[in-house]
Amino acid sequence: MDRRPHGRPGQVALIGVTSTGTSTGTSTGMSAGDTSIRGLARTLLLLLAGLLVVAYAVGLVVKGSGFSPLVDGWLAMVSEWVPVLIAWLALRRVGGGRIEVALAAAALTANALADTYYLASTDSGGAAPFPSPADAGYLLFYALMLGALAVLVNRRLRGSAWSVLLDSAVGSLGAAAVLAVLLSPVLDSATSGPVSLTMAVATAYPVLDLLLVAAVAVIVATHGPTSGRRWLLLVAGLLVFAAADTAFALLGGGYLVGTPLDASWNIGTLLIALWVDRSTTPLPLPSRPVTNVSALAVPAVSTLAGLGVLLLASQVPVSGPAVGLAGATMALAAIPLVARQRVLRLLARTDDLTGLRNRRAFNTDVPLRLAASEHRHSALLLLDLDRFKEVNDSLGHDVGDRLLIQVGIRLSQQLRSGDLLARLGGDEFAILLGDSTREDAATRAEKLRSALAVPFTLHGIALQTSVSIGISLYPEQGQDVIALLRKADMTMYKAKTTHTGHKVYDSEDDSHGDIRLRTLQDLRFALTDDQLVLHYQPKVDLVTGDVQDVEALVRWNHPTRGMLMPDQFIELVEEAGLMHALTQEVLRKALDQAAVWQAQGHPLRIAVNLSASSRVDMELPERIGAMISARGLTAAALTLEITEEFLLNDRDRARAILTRLRGQGIRISVDDFGTGYSSLAYLRDLPIEELKLDQSFVFPMVDDARAATLVSSAIALAHSLGLRMVAEGVDNMAAYDKLIGYGCDFAQGYHLSRPVSAAVLDDWLAARGAPPELVPAAPVAPAAL
């Protein structure tokens, strides 16, 4: 029965898109059963709305002419108020404090109340007075709806809000110009005499409909394709209303309730209700304003429409209002065209993700700054996040992008008025410090590192990042931006590999940069060309003298440089984000060797080091379980050694990974025990079975009474917690005897055996006597492949 377009619940859902995922209308303590019941109720409500609209449309067709109390009365009103209920429930889901949502829900309510009054004033023949007080409710709907859109645009697009409103105005004027041509009979009648209230109200409705459609279309264009798809139902619903209102305007005062035209408004209502349901769930990332070809679509099409109307007016008679609207469209469209030229120039210099200068802008602005301060000293700082690739690989580019945005904000907060900050690409940032000496640059670099050392909370995970900074000085070390960037780049990688945090360029860094680049290229090839080899160092049982455990240590058999130790390439592995690949390769080789020893009848448990970066890899337990199972081994054949750094940033995530690994039967050992800064509470909370006392305590133990006390206390602590203790760095017989006296469980060091190849270890074991069969420490569940 609806004569006027229903409300737009889509705006309610639109607000949900801006949410960060926290809804004040949903209890955080809601049980799974409550959530399921509410979801079912929500689905049933939408299904009911659809059935009511279908029943109403069918009823209008089959009932014949005349007013039907059942179809045109009760069924029309029920199908009218169900979308209102959907809107208020959506408001409850996204939170009652959202002004734009409340405006949208109020608009729907005003529309439904107006329809109810309109129905009550309809006579038995289906006619109703027009205009009537109901029209005040319909016009209030538009005012509230436009207010909701204005609030949303201002909140979502901030500085771009007026640009969007201007585009909406151009779109609505262009649409109104075309509509004025279609409504020529009505407008000609109005302009031939006094303008009647009936004609003005009837014409206002389709114009206001198209104003909303234009505003929505502009926002869709500026939000990009992902969020735009979520607006299709809303736009479709508004277009259905606009078409129905145009037909209503052409009927003038001859409209009767009960015709099939009424079904158009209800179909539009259903489309918008579906949009409400789909849009109450927030997008994974808040949509950012996107200025591209799609953003120009609405004003461009509207400008062409206005031009078409003016051309038509030059050939055939066109009503005066249509010509006036077309002229206003062309005049208003010229304003954003000028502004867009400035915006496009700005975008060419702006990083899309962080909003900072991009490389192009930095390379343009730095020479100007240097020329303006040619008699002053300046410094160029090149910053690169450490192990950023692991964040992208393990947590996804979504989290990586959020981290880069937050890094840009923190760096911006450290700038002075004469400094320039840019994101050059990836995780690389550059800062030009004006009027800065060598000492000033080093001090500022330290402050920047401290600012970024504060943990970031992203995607529910606490991430503590670090940054390496290379510094080049102007004019001593370069006269242009290219030379300064090149030297800062070499120095930055030197700071990264030496873990110094920041470094000022000196002439030795040129050769270091070349060596680093060649080594990095060789390392990538080594991971795929089987150049990495494992050596094994035995752990001797201090009670029985048996060897049941060995530690796998990686070596790089470089084709030209020979056998390289880990300290010659591990830092580069971390820097290049290759630690996951290296860990997989070491695990593969270690488990292959474990399978060989098992087939030979003297199985050994192999310990493999797990880097701190593995903490973010939640799929690691399943992947390791699959590798063990594929080789026919038990999980007891593997020990994973972690450092206390593994536990520093995100204890809950580390606990989850370690618990799942231990649940498979894999032993967990803490390497370099006593050298970290983590709370000893992890010994109580985490599924750890073994501690490896760092060699820095064992080396001085024989001659230093305090060191000996620390060793004996650490062993007693481990035993009191039911943990095994392994002493590293046992390089002489005196240390070996002392450890036996302290009750240490295992020893590992050069006095017993250096790390050797598997073949050499076999000979060494044969000389001592084969070890007994390895007994699994715990039942092992089959690992899923």
Side-chain angles (χ1 to χ4, degrees):
M1 158 270 166
D2 264 345
R3 183 191 57 75
R4 288 296 319 120
H6 295 305
R8 312 315 191 247
Q11 263 56 30
V12 176
L14 153 71
I15 314 309
V17 174
T18 69
S19 169
T20 60
T22 301
S23 174
T24 58
T26 302
S27 171
T28 57
M30 185 187 303
S31 67
D34 292 338
T35 303
S36 177
I37 292 174
R38 293 193 179 194
L40 178 60
R42 181 179 175 189
T43 301
L44 291 176
L45 183 61
L46 290 172
L47 180 60
L48 175 62
L51 292 175
L52 287 172
V53 170
V54 172
Y56 181 44
V58 172
L60 288 173
V61 174
V62 302
K63 76 179 181 62
S65 60
F67 182 85
S68 168
L70 175 62
V71 176
D72 301 315
W74 291 106
L75 189 55
M77 281 296 95
V78 172
S79 61
E80 168 74 14
W81 281 97
V82 168
V84 176
L85 177 59
I86 291 174
W88 286 105
L89 290 177
L91 174 62
R92 181 181 179 185
R93 283 195 296 273
V94 299
R98 304 290 292 276
I99 298 176
E100 60 271 35
V101 182
L103 287 173
L108 291 177
T109 305
N111 188 74
L113 289 172
D115 275 338
T116 303
Y117 177 85
Y118 188 86
L119 177 64
S121 62
T122 301
D123 59 28
S124 59
F130 178 74
S132 74
D135 293 289
Y138 298 138
L139 294 175
L140 178 60
F141 159 79
Y142 285 107
L144 293 171
M145 211 65 225
L146 288 172
L149 277 176
V151 171
L152 175 70
V153 168
N154 183 62
R155 173 176 297 173
R156 293 280 287 168
L157 304 183
R158 296 184 179 91
S160 303
W162 287 109
S163 167
V164 172
L165 291 175
L166 185 60
D167 285 343
S168 299
V170 173
S172 61
L173 285 174
V178 175
L179 186 63
V181 174
L182 298 177
L183 297 176
S184 290
V186 177
L187 296 178
D188 289 341
S189 174
T191 55
S192 62
V195 178
S196 67
L197 180 61
T198 298
M199 184 276 296
V201 173
T203 306
Y205 289 136
V207 173
L208 291 172
D209 277 325
L210 290 176
L211 176 60
L212 286 176
V213 171
V216 170
V218 170
I219 298 175
V220 171
T222 56
H223 279 59
T226 301
S227 62
R229 287 193 294 268
R230 302 184 71 168
W231 289 67
L232 291 179
L233 290 171
L234 173 62
V235 174
L238 291 176
L239 288 175
V240 169
F241 287 145
D245 286 343
T246 301
F248 171 77
L250 292 174
L251 289 174
Y255 176 78
L256 295 177
V257 173
T259 66
L261 180 62
D262 293 336
S264 301
W265 287 298
N266 288 69
I267 292 172
T269 300
L270 178 60
L271 291 172
I272 296 174
L274 292 175
W275 159 243
V276 173
D277 181 68
R278 292 186 60 184
S279 300
T280 49
T281 303
L283 288 171
L285 266 177
S287 301
R288 292 176 53 83
V290 178
T291 303
N292 49 28
V293 176
S294 64
L296 304 177
V298 171
V301 171
S302 300
T303 302
L304 290 176
L307 180 61
V309 171
L310 293 177
L311 292 175
L312 181 64
S314 67
Q315 303 297 321
V316 298
V318 175
S319 65
V323 175
L325 289 169
T329 301
M330 300 298 293
L332 199 59
I335 298 176
L337 290 178
V338 176
R340 279 197 184 90
Q341 293 301 316
R342 298 181 60 186
V343 170
L344 290 175
R345 285 196 296 269
L346 178 62
L347 287 175
R349 295 168 43 85
T350 303
D351 176 59
D352 289 339
L353 180 65
T354 63
L356 302 174
R357 285 179 176 84
N358 58 18
R359 181 183 290 272
R360 180 186 294 108
F362 192 74
N363 289 342
T364 301
D365 293 345
V366 167
L368 298 177
R369 292 291 182 94
L370 294 179
S373 60
E374 58 181 337
H375 300 299
R376 297 180 182 178
H377 292 277
S378 299
L380 192 149
L381 278 60
L382 189 65
L383 301 85
D384 187 87
L385 300 182
D386 298 329
R387 299 194 294 269
F388 176 74
K389 186 176 184 297
E390 295 171 0
V391 176
N392 275 340
D393 291 345
S394 302
L395 302 180
H397 290 273
D398 175 20
V399 175
D401 286 348
R402 291 174 185 263
L403 177 59
L404 291 175
I405 293 171
Q406 293 301 315
V407 167
I409 292 173
R410 289 197 187 177
L411 292 177
S412 298
Q413 294 170 347
Q414 302 297 317
L415 296 183
R416 302 173 303 185
S417 58
D419 299 337
L420 292 181
L421 169 64
R423 178 184 174 227
L424 302 185
D427 60 330
E428 226 175 38
F429 296 82
I431 298 176
L432 179 70
L433 301 178
D435 193 16
S436 178
T437 65
R438 183 187 189 97
E439 293 73 21
D440 293 337
T443 301
R444 293 291 299 282
E446 188 61 41
K447 289 182 178 179
L448 292 171
R449 293 181 62 240
S450 297
L452 297 182
V454 179
F456 297 87
T457 301
L458 300 169
H459 209 62
I461 299 171
L463 292 179
Q464 185 168 15
T465 186
S466 59
V467 63
S468 297
I469 304 176
I471 305 171
S472 58
L473 304 175
Y474 171 87
E476 305 96 291
Q477 298 169 353
Q479 299 291 322
D480 56 66
V481 65
I482 296 177
L484 292 172
L485 277 174
R486 182 179 67 83
K487 292 181 178 180
D489 183 63
M490 289 188 295
T491 308
M492 180 269 292
Y493 281 110
K494 182 68 174 293
K496 189 180 289 287
T497 56
T498 58
H499 299 288
T500 56
H502 66 274
K503 187 179 186 303
V504 181
Y505 172 84
D506 59 49
S507 58
E508 296 179 357
D509 295 326
D510 280 319
S511 59
H512 172 79
D514 294 337
I515 294 174
R516 186 195 65 81
L517 290 175
R518 287 197 301 270
T519 304
L520 179 59
Q521 182 178 1
D522 291 346
L523 181 58
R524 296 182 187 277
F525 185 71
L527 288 170
T528 58
D529 193 45
D530 201 30
Q531 293 181 13
L532 299 179
V533 297
L534 296 186
H535 283 185
Y536 303 90
Q537 187 173 36
K539 302 177 186 178
V540 176
D541 189 320
L542 291 176
V543 176
T544 66
D546 295 332
V547 175
Q548 295 184 354
D549 300 74
V550 296
E551 180 180 2
L553 300 166
V554 66
R555 305 286 187 262
W556 181 4
N557 189 14
H558 195 280
T560 59
R561 297 167 61 186
M563 193 69 72
L564 301 182
M565 297 296 103
D567 59 359
Q568 295 176 277
F569 62 90
I570 286 296
E571 291 87 353
L572 194 59
V573 171
E574 292 276 10
E575 168 196 321
L578 298 174
M579 185 54 72
H580 285 312
L582 177 65
T583 300
Q584 286 294 109
E585 182 69 4
V586 171
L587 281 169
R588 181 184 68 81
K589 289 180 175 293
L591 292 173
D592 284 345
Q593 184 60 48
V596 170
W597 280 328
Q598 178 173 277
Q600 292 174 350
H602 54 91
L604 294 172
R605 178 186 284 110
I606 298 182
V608 174
N609 290 284
L610 203 59
S611 70
S613 58
S614 300
R615 177 185 55 248
V616 297
D617 186 0
M618 293 301 291
E619 297 179 359
L620 181 68
E622 287 71 26
R623 192 159 54 249
I624 293 178
M627 295 175 70
I628 293 172
S629 179
R631 290 162 175 79
L633 299 170
T634 66
L638 178 65
T639 296
L640 292 176
E641 295 186 1
I642 62 171
T643 62
E644 290 172 309
E645 183 186 0
F646 188 94
L647 313 171
L648 279 180
N649 292 334
D650 198 329
R651 182 72 57 80
D652 291 338
R653 195 176 185 89
R655 180 189 294 110
I657 291 176
L658 296 179
T659 300
R660 287 157 58 197
L661 288 167
R662 184 66 197 102
Q664 298 180 39
I666 298 170
R667 176 173 289 172
I668 306 298
S669 175
V670 177
D671 198 10
D672 301 333
F673 176 70
T675 61
Y677 299 95
S678 180
S679 166
L680 290 178
Y682 73 81
L683 297 179
R684 176 197 63 200
D685 298 335
L686 299 179
I688 295 168
E689 292 184 80
E690 178 182 277
L691 301 179
K692 297 189 69 178
L693 188 63
D694 188 71
Q695 59 188 8
S696 61
F697 296 97
V698 177
F699 282 154
M701 175 182 63
V702 175
D703 302 318
D704 188 334
R706 296 183 66 183
T709 300
L710 287 174
V711 170
S712 62
S713 298
I715 293 172
L717 173 64
H719 290 168
S720 68
L721 295 172
L723 306 177
R724 306 192 323 168
M725 177 62 82
V726 180
E728 297 184 287
V730 181
D731 288 353
N732 53 67
M733 191 64 189
Y736 187 87
D737 290 339
K738 272 188 172 291
L739 290 170
I740 293 177
Y742 294 151
C744 188
D745 301 297
F746 296 89
Q748 178 180 347
Y750 284 4
H751 174 67
L752 303 170
S753 172
R754 291 176 177 269
V756 294
S757 66
V760 174
L761 181 64
D762 286 340
D763 294 338
W764 184 87
L765 290 172
R768 295 174 58 89
E773 292 291 328
L774 179 65
V775 179
V780 180
L785 291 175

